[in-house]
């Protein structure tokens, strides 16, 4: 049998994560496709998230208004092949407490030495160079934090999730340059955003953003399946009015060589018995057109006082 073409690190072009190499009956090298190869691509519908009664100010009206009725990137999350995520918590070895100066919610990931909290600086064209300098202006449009702190979101997603993709480890590069792993993680997410146009999938199935019309969770998943081959995971928040609002859509993926991905069946997720769905099946889901008028804690408090 003739040998098949190989990519760097003896990675067969036909490799797919969470499967065995048919020529060896062994797992592919982690530099070929990640062991954490069942990934989730998460897209926010920030306008829907604005309806959540917040414990924190996850959205502010000016940002929600600027983003409008469209999906933006939340993150690309490498999970193990059962759908679980084995995150590490970095602690001060002497005191057994979180490292000083670092917010608790950032203390997760798979590589402390590769994590950082200044993603906006790293993405600046003066640092990213000609090859990746295009990322920053694009990310400012399509990878948005509902509270306006894009730098925190980009840094957090890389540190917590991107460092868990084994195929992005520096040792997997023949000639590694600083931050190349981070840039390629961000680039892969951008490519997925273009490929997985959730709103286009909804429109093709007759689903549109509306303040008055709601849809079943089944309809949303059927739209996802019709466009991408498999259902996804529909995430909702509950508003003060008791309605559920779409806030996020998850698409399950398998990794292929070159940090590319193909849509996968959520049936592969055995830890939760399939795709995680926080939208209730027996209640209509609203994909609002208008931002919530009570999208910050202060506004909610004022509204509550007025109601009294």
């Amino acid at each position: 049998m003739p040998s098949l073409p190989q990519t760097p690190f003896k990675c067969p072009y036909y490799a797919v994560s969470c499967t065995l190499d048919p020529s060896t009956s062994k797992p592919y090298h982690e530099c070929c496709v990640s062991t954490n190869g069942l990934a989730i691509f998460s897209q926010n519908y920030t306008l829907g998230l604005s309806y959540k009664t917040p414990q924190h100010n996850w959205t502010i009206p000016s940002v929600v208004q600027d983003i409008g009725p469209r999906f933006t990137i939340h993150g690309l999350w490498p999970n193990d092949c059962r759908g679980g995520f084995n995150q590490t918590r970095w602690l001060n070895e002497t005191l057994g407490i979180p490292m000083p100066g670092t917010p608790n919610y950032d203390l997760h990931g798979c590589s402390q030495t590769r994590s950082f909290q200044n993603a906006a600086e790293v993405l600046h064209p003066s640092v990213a160079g000609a090859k990746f300098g295009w990322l920053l202006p694009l990310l400012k449009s399509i990878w948005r934090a509902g509270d306006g702190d894009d730098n925190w979101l980009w840094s957090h997603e890389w540190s917590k999730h991107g460092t868990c993709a084994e195929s992005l480890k520096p040792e997997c590069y023949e000639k590694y340059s600083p931050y190349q792993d981070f840039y390629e993680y961000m680039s892969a997410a951008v490519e997925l955003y273009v490929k997985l146009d959730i709103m286009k999938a909804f429109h093709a199935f007759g689903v549109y953003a509306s303040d008055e019309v709601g849809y079943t969770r089944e309809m949303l998943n059927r739209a996802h399946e019709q466009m991408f081959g498999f259902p996804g995971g529909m995430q909702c928040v509950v508003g003060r009015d008791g309605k559920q609002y779409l806030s996020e859509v998850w698409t399950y993926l398998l990794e292929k060589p070159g940090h590319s991905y193909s849509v996968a069946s959520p049936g592969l997720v055995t830890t939760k018995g399939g795709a995680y769905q926080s939208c209730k099946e027996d209640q209509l889901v609203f994909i609002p057109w208008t931002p919530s008028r009570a999208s910050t804690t202060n506004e909610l408090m004022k509204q509550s006082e007025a109601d009294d």
Side-chain angles (χ1 to χ4, degrees), residues 40-43 77 224 232-235 248-252 276:
I40 292 173
F41 185 61
S42 174
Q43 299 185 57
W77 307 334
H224 190 284
M234 301 298 153
Q235 316 309 330
E248 197 165 359
V249 173
W250 294 5
T251 303
Y252 291 81
Y276 176 66

Side-chain angles (χ1 to χ4, degrees), residues 26 104 107 113 130 134 162 189 216-217 254 256 277 279 286 305:
K26 297 180 179 179
N104 288 347
L107 298 180
T113 59
W134 57 272
T216 64
R217 190 183 80 186
L254 291 175
K256 299 189 295 184
Q277 313 271 359
C279 296
F286 288 84
E305 291 171 357

Side-chain angles (χ1 to χ4, degrees), residues 69-86:
R70 65 189 179 101
F71 286 90
T72 56
I73 300 172
H74 181 169
L76 175 59
W77 307 334
N79 292 342
D80 65 39
C81 293
R82 297 180 67 251
F85 178 56
N86 183 22

Side-chain angles (χ1 to χ4, degrees), residues 1 35 48 58 134 225 271 275 291 299 307:
M1 179 178 178
T35 303
W58 293 118
W134 57 272
E225 183 173 14
T271 56
E299 288 174 319
D307 292 342

